[in-house]
């Protein structure tokens, strides 16, 4: 090799220092239908590969010679075990490149891609990573369309790849892509998609229980002229009959007499086959499995290998920076197969009891049920499931908040981090839903937010094997809580946390001389999370100003409280005085906050930043002179000046 080649190969294969993955994904238009890459998309892809891939690698991947492209894949293949985290940061770019290969006609390159992809997805599974929705929308439409490839060997590999993908991406979210494949112009693609729906029903039925109305698309294929298409549709509906029994007729839609006759014959045949194999009667398998889950939990299914064909519960996405503004995408940990309707209320209550009282490992089983129930309620908006969960929001979050410290301590003592990943991801699922997040009371939020902030500062966490991953999850969970929980409660909690915290709350003991430093770090962290709220124009109308002003009305307002107050006065103008109803204005001396309000009003008026009703465009609140308190007393002014000097 030349000196230049040696220098190039001494560099890292992938440069992900400033990967900007969140920014790239933010502009991706999510589609279920496959469309080939447009010219400008190909140009963007080439620019991204040149930016993040080592020179010799991107030269091969973008070469018009397919043999060079195969060489590039082999370079990635050899390095894959050691560059997993770097691959995750550029996975969206790599998936686009695979899509471009699928659209080419070169069989040798395509087969090499299909050799590499299973290794890639196995690595992602081992890393505990789930594809984001943006990544799925890049790759799945193309993969599903190409399931109907005219080479049988390629179809076989793609089938196996689809089975692998559902282990690192939510089955329920994958299903709409499959349904779109049923509308493909390629007859072979439609057949493959119909078969795959049957596979999903047989192995992941419980995760699709909210989408069973889609079976009418399968049923419509029984009217097709092509015999293979009809056969695939009938086989899939027979699997549905095995699970649902006669209830399946509720989901197949309007059919002709000929179609109903075909289905009836196939269902009778399926019942005879089940009887021969001693599998019971149609739908009995569902009842038996549901009873097994309720009576025995999940241990038997996990020990017997059912996990490999299971439904999913959450783990982690490991590709987000601390204090980033994008949400952690919930990954999926295997749960045992339960081709059943959602578990009843008794199981939900038992699950919360297990989370609350069980060991960290035992609590995982409770969280599996919680995540399953939550997913079912989300998928079926017409059911009352979400109403029931919302009623239990405080209990759910309280159980999980109390488990944060226990599971992290458990992991710090050398145990697996599996249980704390489950806790954080179950909390993430909870706070991704605005309605559920809004139902959590302020006192519960206070405990949870304080716990998360304290663990973010624990010096032991970065030394754990999964430490950086856990820290990222903690910080993004914090952002999700503040984004979706009741805004007034979030403000109040953060303002209260700007005061020194009780030393007994820290997860690990501190020497006295470090306590001041710890408190300062805690204050700095609170400010970091508080900062987005200081840009109040987008959120000011969602909060109870009277309640917030009451929270900051102590004798010695901190600098951060003063900053918040300044923003509020700037936005509301003199109307701010109509929101002092919860401040005791008659006490002597008057609360210092009144002097700060007056001082801010005077300062902003002098700077011509204030009008009688507030800054331009802020007219929602009208000045209420009748409710305005008397001017601050000399005593309050004196306190204000004293604090300004000192």
């Amino acid at each position: 090799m030349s000196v230049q080649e040696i220098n190039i190969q001494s560099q890292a294969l992938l440069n992900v220092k400033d990967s900007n993955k969140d920014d790239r994904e933010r502009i991706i238009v999510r589609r279920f239908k496959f469309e080939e890459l447009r010219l400008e998309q190909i140009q963007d892809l080439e620019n991204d590969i040149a930016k993040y891939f080592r020179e010799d690698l991107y030269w091969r991947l973008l070469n018009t010679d397919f043999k060079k492209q195969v060489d590039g894949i082999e370079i990635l293949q050899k390095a894959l075990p050691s560059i997993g985290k770097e691959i995750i940061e550029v996975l969206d770019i790599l998936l686009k490149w695979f899509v471009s290969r699928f659209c080419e006609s070169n069989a040798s390159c395509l087969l090499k891609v299909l050799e590499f992809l299973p290794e890639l997805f196995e690595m992602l599974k081992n890393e505990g990573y789930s594809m984001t929705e943006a990544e799925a929308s890049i790759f799945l439409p193309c993969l599903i369309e190409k399931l109907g490839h005219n080479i049988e060997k390629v179809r076989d590999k793609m089938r196996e790849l689809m089975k692998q993908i559902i282990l690192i991406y939510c089955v329920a979210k994958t299903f709409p892509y499959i349904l779109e494949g049923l509308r493909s112009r390629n007859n072979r693609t439609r057949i493959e998609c119909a078969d795959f729906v049957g596979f999903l029903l047989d192995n992941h039925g419980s995760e699709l229980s909210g989408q069973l109305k889609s079976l009418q698309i399968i049923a419509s294929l029984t009217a097709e002229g092509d015999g293979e298409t009809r056969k695939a549709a009938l086989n899939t509906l027979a699997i549905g009959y095995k699970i649902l029994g006669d209830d399946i007729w509720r989901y197949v839609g309007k059919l002709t007499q000929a179609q109903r006759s075909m289905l009836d014959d196939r269902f009778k045949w399926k019942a005879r086959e089940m009887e021969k194999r001693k599998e019971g009667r149609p739908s009995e398998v569902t009842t038996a499995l549901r009873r097994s889950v309720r009576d025995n939990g999940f241990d038997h299914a996990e020990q017997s290998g059912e996990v490999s064909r299971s439904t999913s519960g959450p783990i982690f996405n490991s590709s987000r920076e601390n204090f980033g503004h994008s949400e952690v995408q919930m990954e999926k940990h295997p749960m045992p197969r339960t081709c059943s309707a959602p578990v009843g209320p008794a199981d939900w209550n038992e699950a919360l009891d297990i989370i609350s009282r069980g060991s960290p490992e035992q609590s995982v089983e409770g969280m599996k049920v919680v995540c399953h129930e939550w997913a079912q309620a989300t998928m079926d908006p017409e059911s009352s499931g979400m109403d029931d969960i919302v009623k239990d929001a405080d209990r759910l979050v309280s159980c999980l908040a109390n488990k944060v410290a226990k599971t992290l301590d458990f992991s710090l003592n050398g145990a697996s981090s599996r249980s704390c990943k489950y806790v954080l991801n179950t909390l993430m699922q909870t706070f991704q839903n605005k309605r559920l997040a809004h139902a959590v009371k302020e006192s519960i939020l206070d405990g949870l937010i304080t716990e998360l902030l304290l663990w973010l500062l624990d010096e032991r966490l970065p030394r754990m094997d999964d430490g950086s991953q856990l820290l990222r999850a903690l910080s993004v969970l914090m952002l999700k809580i503040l984004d979706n929980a009741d805004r007034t409660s979030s403000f109040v909690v953060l303002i209260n946390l700007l005061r020194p915290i009780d030393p007994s709350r820290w997860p690990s003991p501190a020497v006295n001389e470090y306590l001041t430093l710890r408190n300062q770090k805690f204050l700095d962290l609170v400010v970091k999370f508080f900062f987005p709220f200081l840009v109040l124009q987008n959120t000011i109308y969602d909060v109870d100003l009277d309640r917030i002003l009451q929270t900051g009305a102590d004798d010695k307002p901190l600098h951060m409280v003063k900053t918040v107050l300044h923003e509020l006065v700037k936005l509301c103008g003199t109307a701010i005085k109509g929101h002092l109803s919860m401040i005791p204005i008659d006490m002597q001396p008057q609360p210092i906050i009144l002097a700060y309000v007056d001082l801010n009003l005077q300062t902003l008026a002098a700077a011509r930043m204030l009008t009688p009703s507030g800054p331009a465009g802020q007219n929602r609140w009208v000045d209420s002179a009748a409710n305005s308190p008397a001017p601050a007393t000399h005593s309050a002014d004196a306190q204000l000046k004293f604090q300004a000097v000192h």
Side-chain angles (χ1 to χ4, degrees):
M1 291 190 295
S2 67
V3 174
Q4 184 182 4
E5 288 172 329
I6 293 172
N7 288 337
I8 289 172
Q9 295 201 10
S10 66
Q11 300 168 11
L13 193 62
L14 299 172
N15 170 31
V16 295
K17 185 178 180 183
D18 298 306
S19 69
N20 298 319
K21 183 175 182 179
D22 293 333
D23 293 336
R24 291 195 306 273
E25 292 194 344
R26 208 169 284 127
I27 62 173
I28 291 172
V29 178
R30 290 165 174 73
R31 295 188 180 91
F32 291 103
K33 187 176 181 179
F34 171 61
E35 296 177 5
E36 291 197 19
L37 295 175
R38 300 188 302 274
L39 179 59
E40 64 270 21
Q41 291 175 313
I42 293 172
Q43 290 171 343
D44 288 342
L45 172 61
E46 291 175 352
N47 291 336
D48 285 336
I49 291 176
K51 184 175 181 180
Y52 299 111
F53 291 57
R54 197 173 69 192
E55 186 179 342
D56 59 327
L57 177 57
Y58 86 71
W59 177 80
R60 286 176 170 83
L61 293 180
L62 299 180
N63 205 297
T64 54
D65 185 345
F66 293 113
K67 291 181 180 178
K68 299 295 182 187
Q69 295 174 13
V70 170
D71 291 342
I73 298 170
E74 288 178 346
I75 291 173
L76 282 170
Q77 205 167 5
K78 288 175 184 176
L80 188 61
S82 61
I83 60 169
K85 288 181 170 58
E86 291 82 0
I87 285 278
I88 286 170
E89 290 299 323
V90 294
L91 182 61
D92 57 314
I93 299 170
L94 205 51
L95 291 175
K96 281 183 188 174
W97 186 79
F98 290 140
V99 167
S100 69
R101 295 309 94 209
F102 281 166
C103 295
E104 294 286 349
S105 57
N106 186 271
S108 61
C109 185
L110 178 57
L111 288 171
K112 188 65 182 178
V113 167
L114 291 172
E115 178 187 315
F116 173 67
L117 281 170
E119 297 178 22
L120 171 66
F121 288 122
E122 182 65 22
M123 180 276 293
L124 294 176
K125 184 167 73 101
N126 293 337
E127 284 285 330
Y129 181 81
S130 172
M131 283 195 301
T132 65
E133 290 188 31
E135 288 164 347
S137 69
I138 289 169
F139 188 63
L140 284 178
C142 179
L143 177 63
I144 288 166
E145 178 62 31
K146 300 300 178 181
L147 281 172
H149 200 279
N150 55 6
I151 300 176
E152 186 176 356
K153 185 178 180 181
V154 171
R155 290 200 302 273
D156 291 342
K157 288 181 177 292
M158 287 188 170
R159 273 188 224 113
E160 293 307 310
L161 194 60
M162 279 299 303
K163 292 175 184 178
Q164 195 178 11
I165 283 175
I166 59 174
L167 297 178
I168 62 164
Y169 191 61
C170 175
V171 173
K173 290 181 180 179
T174 305
F175 196 58
Y177 291 99
I178 306 295
L179 296 180
E180 190 60 42
L182 291 169
R183 299 182 177 93
S184 172
R185 294 180 180 179
N186 184 334
N187 200 48
R188 173 51 60 182
T189 296
R190 294 159 72 199
I191 292 170
E192 293 291 336
C193 287
D195 285 340
F196 197 70
V197 170
F199 169 81
L200 291 178
L201 285 172
D202 203 17
N203 295 275
H204 302 271
S206 63
E207 291 184 85
L208 300 178
S209 60
Q211 302 185 55
L212 292 177
K213 290 181 180 178
S214 310
L215 287 178
Q216 59 187 287
I217 302 175
I218 300 288
S220 68
L221 297 180
T222 59
E224 291 288 318
D226 179 71
E228 287 294 311
T229 305
R230 290 199 307 275
K231 181 180 176 182
L234 289 168
N235 286 340
T236 292
L237 292 170
I239 293 171
Y241 177 67
K242 170 185 172 182
I243 297 167
L244 299 168
D246 288 334
D247 281 350
I248 195 171
W249 293 106
R250 294 164 47 199
Y251 301 107
V252 294
K254 293 182 179 179
L255 301 174
T256 65
Q257 188 59 43
Q259 287 175 295
R260 293 185 72 86
S261 177
M262 274 193 295
L263 279 178
D264 196 43
D265 289 344
R266 182 55 59 104
F267 292 164
K268 288 176 181 175
W269 170 83
K270 186 66 176 178
R272 289 194 297 271
E273 286 294 303
M274 290 176 67
E275 190 176 349
K276 285 180 187 176
R277 296 174 184 175
K278 298 183 179 179
E279 293 177 340
R281 295 177 59 79
S283 84
E284 284 181 356
V285 62
T286 300
T287 306
L289 280 170
R290 188 189 307 138
R291 189 182 303 118
S292 174
V293 170
R294 187 164 52 240
D295 295 345
N296 304 316
F298 297 98
D299 293 338
H300 174 72
E302 287 186 323
Q303 291 166 8
S304 65
E306 288 291 333
V307 162
S308 63
R309 303 181 295 155
S310 62
T311 64
S312 301
I315 49 178
F316 267 19
N317 179 334
S318 59
S319 67
R320 296 292 183 267
E321 293 298 321
N322 284 345
F323 309 112
H325 290 276
S326 66
E327 67 190 50
V328 165
Q329 298 292 329
M330 289 296 96
E331 285 189 8
K332 304 294 173 187
H333 229 349
M335 276 174 58
R337 186 178 81 177
T338 62
C339 297
S340 64
V343 183
D347 288 309
W348 168 267
N349 289 321
E350 286 173 23
L352 293 185
D353 286 340
I354 290 170
I355 295 170
S356 180
R357 301 172 189 171
S359 68
E361 285 300 325
Q362 289 170 337
S363 68
V364 168
E365 309 307 335
M367 283 181 273
K368 288 176 181 178
V369 175
V370 165
C371 291
H372 176 73
E373 287 278 356
W374 192 94
Q376 295 300 323
T378 306
M379 286 190 294
D380 189 1
E382 296 179 4
S383 74
S384 61
M386 184 53 74
D387 293 334
D388 295 333
I389 292 175
V390 168
K391 289 175 187 174
D392 247 356
D394 283 332
R395 185 182 169 204
L396 169 62
V397 174
S398 181
C399 288
L400 293 169
N402 292 333
K403 217 68 185 178
V404 170
K406 292 178 183 176
T407 55
L408 283 167
D409 277 330
F410 186 63
S411 301
L412 284 166
N413 289 325
S416 164
S417 60
R418 175 173 176 256
S419 57
C420 54
K421 288 178 178 179
Y422 259 101
V423 171
L424 296 178
N425 275 318
T426 307
L427 281 166
M428 178 63 72
Q429 288 205 37
T430 301
F431 283 95
Q432 278 179 331
N433 184 288
K434 262 195 184 305
R435 186 181 167 206
L436 192 52
H438 258 260
V440 180
K441 290 178 184 172
E442 186 179 302
S443 58
I444 306 293
L445 277 180
D446 190 307
L448 174 60
I449 289 173
T450 306
E451 194 71 54
L452 297 179
L453 290 172
L454 288 169
W455 278 102
L456 275 166
L457 290 173
D458 195 287
E459 306 91 353
R460 299 169 297 170
L461 233 58
R463 298 197 289 269
M464 291 174 61
D465 289 342
D466 294 330
S468 59
Q469 194 180 29
L470 290 168
L471 286 169
R472 278 192 291 269
L474 284 166
S475 62
V476 179
L477 173 57
M478 268 293 303
L479 289 167
K480 186 55 64 180
I481 292 169
L482 297 177
D483 192 36
N484 283 339
D486 178 75
R487 195 55 56 89
T488 299
S489 297
S490 299
F491 263 103
V492 170
V493 168
L494 289 175
I495 289 174
N496 284 329
L497 288 176
L498 291 169
R499 297 165 176 80
I501 194 166
D502 183 347
S504 65
R505 292 295 306 273
W506 289 91
S508 59
V511 205
N512 286 335
E513 55 264 32
Y514 294 141
L515 198 54
T516 305
L517 180 60
R518 270 191 168 191
N519 277 327
Q520 186 56 50
K521 285 184 176 179
F522 185 82
L523 177 62
D524 291 343
L525 187 60
V526 173
V527 170
K528 277 188 178 181
F529 282 108
F530 210 157
F531 183 77
F533 287 104
L534 296 183
V535 187
L536 294 171
Q537 285 85 344
N538 295 327
T539 59
I540 191 66
Y541 301 134
D542 297 331
V543 299
D544 180 351
L545 281 179
D546 300 62
R547 177 85 174 85
I548 291 170
L549 290 171
Q550 179 199 31
T551 308
D554 57 45
D555 288 335
K556 295 180 180 178
L558 297 161
H559 175 71
M560 192 66 179
V561 177
K562 297 175 190 175
T563 308
V564 173
L565 183 60
H566 175 76
E567 291 293 329
L568 291 173
V569 174
K570 188 165 68 173
L571 283 162
C572 299
T574 54
I576 193 75
K577 290 196 171 185
H579 295 278
L580 301 172
S581 63
M582 302 179 78
I583 296 174
I585 61 176
D586 296 329
M587 67 180 287
Q588 293 296 330
Q590 283 192 325
I592 188 68
I593 192 172
L594 300 176
Y596 277 105
V597 168
D598 281 344
L599 179 64
N600 274 290
L601 286 170
Q602 293 165 19
T603 305
L604 291 168
R608 298 180 181 274
M609 296 175 65
L610 194 67
T611 66
S613 60
Q618 302 293 335
N619 298 317
R620 173 152 175 183
W621 288 296
V622 179
D623 190 6
S624 177
N627 294 328
S628 296
T633 64
H634 176 75
S635 174
D637 287 331
Q639 292 179 55
L640 181 58
K641 289 172 184 175
F642 178 84
Q643 289 192 23
V645 173
H646 292 81

